[in-house]
Structure formats: structure tokens, C-alpha cells
Amino acid sequence: MSDLETDELDIVVVGAGLQGLVAAKTFLQLSPTLSILILDTNKSVGGVWAKENIYPGLKTNNQLGTFEFTDFNLLDVCPGKVRKGEHIAGEVVYEYLFKYAQHFDLLRRVRFGHRVVTAEHLAGDARGWKLTVANIGGDGQIPKADNVGTVQHDVTTTISASKLVVATGLTSTPIPISISGAASFSPPLLNFGDFRRDASRLLEDPCIEHVAVYGSAKSAYDAVYAFASRSIQVTWIIRESGHGPVYMSPSHIYLGPFRTWFEPLTTIRPLSWLSPCIWGDSDGFGFIRRLLHQTKIGRLIVRGFWKKLAGDIVSQSGLQDKGPQVAKLVPKEGAFWYGTGISVLNYDTDIHRYIQDGTVRIVRRDIDRLDGKSILFKDNPEKKGEKVDVDAMICSTGWRWDSGIDFLPKTEHADLGIPSAEHTPAQQQHWSNLDAQADLEILNRFPMLSHGPRLHEDDDNDERTIPQPKDPVIARSADEKLKAEPEKQRREELTPWRLFRGIAPPANNLKRDLVFLGHDVESADDAAERTVRAVGICLFAR
């Protein structure tokens, strides 16, 4: 009898990526007799590193030594595939994760090509979940919706689990493309999630000579490099009204006289004192953190460090020395505000040279609409009616922030701490009060957060009044909702993630039968950190 036909499972893990695999392996190490099933939409293990998601040129930001499990040495299982000082190729990461799953006997427990559609909490004092699982064929695609918005699934199965581990992460479901005219745009129009699977086909298509890439995150850099390095013309569109490009650092930078490996900087304890981490006092250095963030001289030191880091990244990556087009990639705001938006230039060749030689043209404009094979920009007095004709368009515009699973009953959403528009007025008021208390505490501990990002380098006044927190859910008129972009409207209506320590539902009466993994910020030493977290969730759920 297959696992999908079993009436009752001890644990179902949703997601066969890095976090899902180490969670399943840890559960089995602690309790070898557990019945565990891993469900994944892809055709192979790895999540974002699944074999079908590996596009040409994909590499980790990490170099050798910071992307492997503590009990599974990468060089031992992938000998000769990567050397010290090199970023790890996507193909090597997939091979490593496949061998990890094979070594710990996880592959036979994985059902590929399956998506959890609904998860219904058992009523009363019973622990566990009833899951509706759809067989989508293993292509990782979201099932298509019909003309009334109802998602169609081919085959569904119902299974039960005593515990549910959701390890889908925050980069599983791309935001739908909502540009006006997208439905009738004649060239291929893909979000980055689909580009990962279709990259080879697009790159080898002789009819594709000019591509538009929309967005300015690391994924947009990757798409631009993939096409430009194959001599395909690229128009790189970055919204003028947006937050602008992210910081892209060389793998090693000089901080003063010291040449520093950039990626592990976040693991150096003294540098962590300079970040506004609400859990930072757990390291025993709360006094130093208070001195840095709650005194004027301390804030001068913090701002000076982040300004120095931003300046070093910009100058040492050459953004201001390679011409006016490359200079358009200089970020708008200080590095303090970017968090995981600071990434690494991990390409085989200098991506900026394709901008310098004209293969890539950067356009800092807002898109008005798509028409035929044309991208039309919003008018301005200098460039009225400008448009660009392309053979394909890739949209790197972010990821949906929910889990992609419909949790039932909806009345429990507030207790589960998941993004939702289903809170009752009483629940909204409850969380609004808690949000206000949390904002007041956080902004008093870290006053620099009270005024938001600085858009001008000469704005040095950090002694501002702490603003009153706003309600998380704001009612809007029907006309306003119709005018809003669909995904932006949806995000505004959903509450944020509210998980205890990023993993557990916050309700006091929780049954310890649900945990979330990968729904928070990743660390530089990602695999090691997730190994420790897996042990924590196993002890929590026992």
C-alpha cells in the first residue's frame, strides 16, 4: 500500500527543498518508526534547486563551506565539482540535495507532482489534519483557473496526518503578472518562476533576439545575464516609482584595509550588533546593542557603518565608474534598509560589460501597458509615447507571501498566524492592539526604524517622533479596489505572517500539530542554521 493510500500518517511534510528534507530526516532520526510522507509540486527534490528549476548560470550566493549540512560534507559526495573560493553551481546543489535524500532514505517517501490544496484542522480535542492533495503531474505549475477564477485540478486524494510541516518557503509561488494588456501580449510573457523551467528553450530559440526583463532584484540580474551572455539583446526595465535596484556586492570587498568575504559577514557577532534585531539580546550583549541603537552617538556609529558598507559596495562594484547606463543600477536607499535585498555578483564574467557594450539597455520607467509585442511606457514630457518591441518578456516582480494552501476552517486563521483576509472584527482588533504594542516596543528600542528609509543621503535627522502604528487591515471603497493592481490589492488585504519565532502558530491553545519552515529570512550559513531549526521543530512537535 502506498503512502497516499494510507488512512493515517504521523507526519506530512509539504516541500522537498532544503528545509523539508532536513526536517523529515531529523524526525526519522529521533523516531525511526514514524510514517512520513513528503509532498512536492516538482519532479525532483531540491525545491528552488530542483533539477527542472536549474537555469543556465544559476549559482548560490554562498561559496564552498557555507552551504552544506553539518553531517553531510559536500566535497565528499560531489568530489571535484566545486573548489574553495567558488560559488556553487545550481547543478551541484541539486546533486548534493539528491544524494542527501538518497543517503537518508527519503526518496521513497516523496511524492512528486502533488500539491496540497486544502488543509482542514480536525475539530475538537483531536490533533491532526485532513489534506486534499492534487496530482498536478510534477511540472511545478500552479493549476490554471477557469474564467470565473476557480482552480481546476485533475485528480485529488484525501489523506490524514497527525502533524503537518509546511516547508514551502517564501519563493514558491510567483506573483501573477497584472500589467494592463498582459492577456493579449503576443510574445512569451513569463514570471521568473516559469522562466526557471523555460530558460533553456527561450535561450535556444532563434526567433528570440530581443528580450525585456522587468524588475531589479537578484533574479532579474540572473535573467539579464542569462540572455546577454548569449548575445541576446536585453531591455532591462526598472520602475521609476519603485524602490530601485538591490545592492549587488563583489564576493569579496575591502572594509578599510581588510579584504572580507562578503556573504558570511552576517555571522560575525560584532556586526550583528549593528542590525535592529528584536531577538538580539539573547546573545548576552544587550548592553552594547542598547548603546548603539538607543543613544545618539551609537546611532551615528550605526549609520556610519551602513553608509560606509553601501559606499564600498557601490564603488568596488564599479557602478559609478562604468558609464551612465551602469550608474542606473545604484540603489536608491541606504544598505541598512535592504536586508536580504543585498546580494552577490556571482557570475562568470562581468555583467556590467554587457551594459557598456550596448547588449543591455536599462530603462528606468513605469510601464503603462502591453500592446501586441510592444511595451508602452507612461508618458513624460521628454519621452512621450516611447515604446519597445520585444520577442519575450520576463517579469521578476516578487513572490506571493502566503503558503499557497487553503487552511480550513477559516475561523482559525488568526490562531494559526497565517496571512489572511478572514479575520473577524474582534480578531482584527485583538491583533491591531498587539501590533501597536509591538511597534511601540520595537521603535523605542530601535528609533532609526521610526522614520523609514532615507531617500536622500543628506537626511541625517534621526530624532523624529515615533509614528502611531496603523491597523493592519484597512477598509477601502469598491472604486479604490477596482483601481488597484490585483496582487497589490490582495497583499494589502492580507494580514502579515504572525508565527512564534517564525515557525509556530501563536495561539495559546495550539495543539502542536503544525509548524512552518522557511517562512522567514535566510541566514548566510543556511544549511547549518536549518539543521538546528529542524531539531527545534521536532522537539516542539513531539
Side-chain angles (χ1 to χ4, degrees):
M1 180 178 292
S2 72
D3 287 336
L4 278 177
E5 297 171 327
T6 302
D7 292 331
E8 178 74 26
L9 290 158
D10 291 318
I11 298 172
V12 167
V13 178
V14 185
L18 186 150
Q19 185 67 85
L21 292 176
V22 71
K25 169 255 188 185
T26 307
F27 270 114
L28 288 169
Q29 282 187 322
L30 294 176
S31 302
T33 60
L34 287 174
S35 59
I36 293 182
L37 176 66
I38 306 170
L39 299 172
D40 198 278
T41 59
N42 292 309
K43 298 177 181 178
S44 57
V45 297
V48 296
W49 302 101
K51 187 175 183 179
E52 60 271 29
N53 288 336
I54 305 300
Y55 52 88
L58 175 63
K59 296 180 180 181
T60 64
N61 287 338
N62 305 66
Q63 294 184 356
L64 181 65
T66 61
F67 199 88
E68 56 190 315
F69 297 110
T70 55
D71 55 355
F72 201 69
N73 186 275
L74 190 149
L75 286 180
D76 290 343
V77 297
C78 301
K81 300 293 181 68
V82 62
R83 293 176 293 182
K84 184 178 180 180
E86 291 183 342
H87 296 277
I88 308 169
E91 294 84 356
V92 177
V93 176
Y94 163 71
E95 180 183 348
Y96 174 73
L97 293 176
F98 174 82
K99 290 182 176 179
Y100 180 88
Q102 189 178 50
H103 178 77
F104 290 105
D105 194 27
L106 300 177
L107 289 177
R108 67 183 180 89
R109 305 174 192 274
V110 184
R111 294 297 176 268
F112 297 109
H114 287 79
R115 179 182 297 278
V116 177
V117 182
T118 64
E120 183 176 359
H121 214 179
L122 299 184
D125 295 330
R127 293 180 61 180
W129 297 85
K130 183 172 70 174
L131 309 177
T132 301
V133 180
N135 186 337
I136 61 172
D139 60 3
Q141 302 292 319
I142 301 173
K144 302 298 182 182
D146 62 20
N147 56 7
V148 295
T150 302
V151 174
Q152 304 295 321
H153 299 284
D154 293 335
V155 179
T156 59
T157 306
T158 300
I159 60 176
S160 296
S162 298
K163 297 180 179 68
L164 179 62
V165 178
V166 181
T168 52
L170 293 174
T171 56
S172 297
T173 308
I175 293 175
I177 299 169
S178 58
I179 305 170
S180 177
S184 58
F185 192 60
S186 54
L189 176 61
L190 307 174
N191 54 46
F192 187 77
D194 293 327
F195 167 74
R196 296 182 304 189
R197 300 179 182 89
D198 293 339
S200 296
R201 177 180 62 83
L202 293 174
L203 292 169
E204 295 169 4
D205 188 341
C207 297
I208 294 180
E209 300 178 348
H210 187 183
V211 173
V213 175
Y214 184 38
S216 56
K218 176 59 163 64
S219 55
Y221 269 82
D222 285 0
V224 168
Y225 183 83
F227 287 106
S229 61
R230 287 160 177 78
S231 302
I232 297 173
Q233 193 74 29
V234 178
T235 295
W236 190 352
I237 303 169
I238 301 174
R239 285 190 305 133
E240 185 61 35
S241 62
H243 293 289
V246 298
Y247 280 90
M248 294 289 290
S249 171
S251 60
H252 289 78
I253 63 172
Y254 283 91
L255 294 177
F258 303 104
R259 185 173 185 266
T260 305
W261 181 8
F262 182 79
E263 187 66 19
L265 277 178
T266 56
T267 65
I268 299 175
R269 188 183 300 276
L271 294 186
S272 72
W273 300 335
L274 299 164
S275 296
C277 177
I278 61 175
W279 297 295
D281 289 357
S282 300
D283 64 6
F285 292 90
F287 170 76
I288 297 177
R289 191 170 280 103
R290 288 191 292 274
L291 180 66
L292 288 170
H293 293 277
Q294 296 180 23
T295 66
K296 189 168 184 178
I297 189 171
R299 290 193 290 275
L300 286 172
I301 295 171
V302 171
R303 289 208 313 274
F305 167 79
W306 287 103
K307 188 173 183 178
K308 169 67 173 171
L309 179 65
D312 287 344
I313 292 174
V314 170
S315 63
Q316 293 176 39
S317 59
L319 293 182
Q320 295 176 323
D321 304 323
K322 298 179 180 179
Q325 272 282 305
V326 176
K328 291 182 178 181
L329 295 177
V330 175
K332 280 186 175 182
E333 303 164 4
F336 177 82
W337 299 101
Y338 276 74
T340 56
I342 302 177
S343 194
V344 176
L345 293 165
N346 56 0
Y347 306 109
D348 292 333
T349 55
D350 182 5
I351 188 174
H352 299 147
R353 75 177 180 125
Y354 300 111
I355 303 172
Q356 292 176 292
D357 67 18
T359 304
V360 177
R361 182 173 75 100
I362 299 175
V363 177
R364 296 292 296 270
R365 299 282 299 280
D366 287 288
I367 294 176
D368 181 51
R369 68 186 188 278
L370 306 179
D371 185 9
K373 62 181 299 183
S374 301
I375 302 170
L376 286 79
F377 299 101
K378 291 185 178 179
D379 290 343
N380 66 32
E382 297 180 356
K383 299 182 179 180
K384 186 175 179 64
E386 182 183 0
K387 68 176 184 178
V388 175
D389 292 338
V390 297
D391 303 311
M393 182 174 180
I394 312 300
C395 293
S396 176
T397 49
W399 307 86
R400 285 174 51 174
W401 64 357
D402 57 8
S403 67
I405 300 173
D406 187 12
F407 283 90
L408 304 173
K410 295 182 183 297
T411 54
E412 286 193 4
H413 284 190
D415 291 339
L416 297 180
I418 61 177
S420 176
E422 304 293 338
H423 288 195
T424 65
Q427 290 171 333
Q428 290 183 25
Q429 187 61 51
H430 170 75
W431 279 107
S432 180
N433 293 337
L434 291 178
D435 286 343
Q437 294 175 34
D439 284 349
L440 190 61
E441 178 183 343
I442 291 169
L443 296 181
N444 276 319
R445 290 172 60 186
F446 303 104
M448 287 177 62
L449 297 178
S450 65
H451 50 71
R454 289 187 178 85
L455 297 179
H456 305 285
E457 287 296 327
D458 57 353
D459 183 3
D460 288 329
N461 178 20
D462 69 334
E463 304 301 326
R464 306 188 185 186
T465 302
I466 296 175
Q468 292 299 316
K470 299 179 180 179
D471 290 342
V473 180
I474 302 175
R476 299 187 297 166
S477 68
D479 289 342
E480 289 175 318
K481 290 183 179 181
L482 288 174
K483 293 177 182 178
E485 294 181 11
E487 187 62 26
K488 181 179 180 182
Q489 171 191 331
R490 181 175 181 275
R491 287 177 67 103
E492 289 178 354
E493 292 176 348
L494 294 178
T495 57
W497 285 96
R498 292 183 172 119
L499 301 174
F500 176 72
R501 293 300 175 109
I503 61 172
N508 292 329
N509 61 344
L510 56 87
K511 303 176 182 178
R512 298 200 176 200
D513 57 3
L514 173 66
V515 291
F516 294 88
L517 293 172
H519 290 74
D520 57 355
V521 177
E522 298 178 356
S523 69
D525 201 352
D526 199 34
E529 183 269 337
R530 293 187 185 276
T531 301
V532 175
R533 178 161 294 193
V535 175
I537 67 108
C538 290
L539 296 175
F540 170 83
R542 291 183 72 176

